[in-house]
Amino acid sequence: MSNFENVKKFMKTFGQEIKEKAGFPDDKITSLRYELIKEELDEFLLEVRNKKLKLMEEEFGDLFFSIINYGFHKSSWSFSNTSNFDIIFYI
């Protein structure tokens, strides 16, 4: 079994969406991810204003993770041909 087939099996096992062709997520998912980034940015800026370095570092990590996660969810995973696995990022 190829790595691509293993990823497809993993995603299917854990109920993750497996797209048959590249495309954009729906507006609900896009809006949810945007709001999460906005929330994390607000939390980060609050700690910057309060000059709390440790909390600032934690919030930066959360912000960074939410941005990466948004990029991941804006991408399309296509398993229509498991020998040709595509990840397309829309930035």
Side-chain angles (χ1 to χ4, degrees), residues 38-54:
K38 190 171 176 251
E39 177 184 328
E40 295 301 342
L41 178 60
D42 290 343
E43 291 173 2
F44 172 72
L45 292 174
L46 175 67
E47 300 310 337
V48 169
R49 278 187 234 109
N50 291 333
K51 298 181 178 163
K52 296 190 176 184
L53 186 59
K54 178 68 176 151

Side-chain angles (χ1 to χ4, degrees), residues 6-75:
N6 286 331
V7 170
K8 182 177 182 178
K9 182 179 177 184
F10 175 87
M11 290 178 73
K12 191 176 215 178
T13 300
F14 291 97
Q16 296 182 21
E17 180 181 9
I18 300 171
K19 295 184 178 185
E20 295 301 323
K21 65 179 193 169
F24 287 96
D26 62 30
D27 290 341
K28 181 180 176 183
I29 295 295
T30 300
S31 179
L32 175 68
R33 296 291 172 200
Y34 173 80
E35 290 301 322
L36 181 59
I37 290 171
K38 190 171 176 251
E39 177 184 328
E40 295 301 342
L41 178 60
D42 290 343
E43 291 173 2
F44 172 72
L45 292 174
L46 175 67
E47 300 310 337
V48 169
R49 278 187 234 109
N50 291 333
K51 298 181 178 163
K52 296 190 176 184
L53 186 59
K54 178 68 176 151
L55 293 175
M56 194 172 84
E57 290 173 352
E58 290 175 13
E59 294 303 337
F60 181 79
D62 291 347
L63 175 61
F64 184 72
F65 180 78
S66 65
I67 292 169
I68 296 300
N69 203 22
Y70 179 80
F72 174 76
H73 284 280
K74 288 289 281 186
S75 68

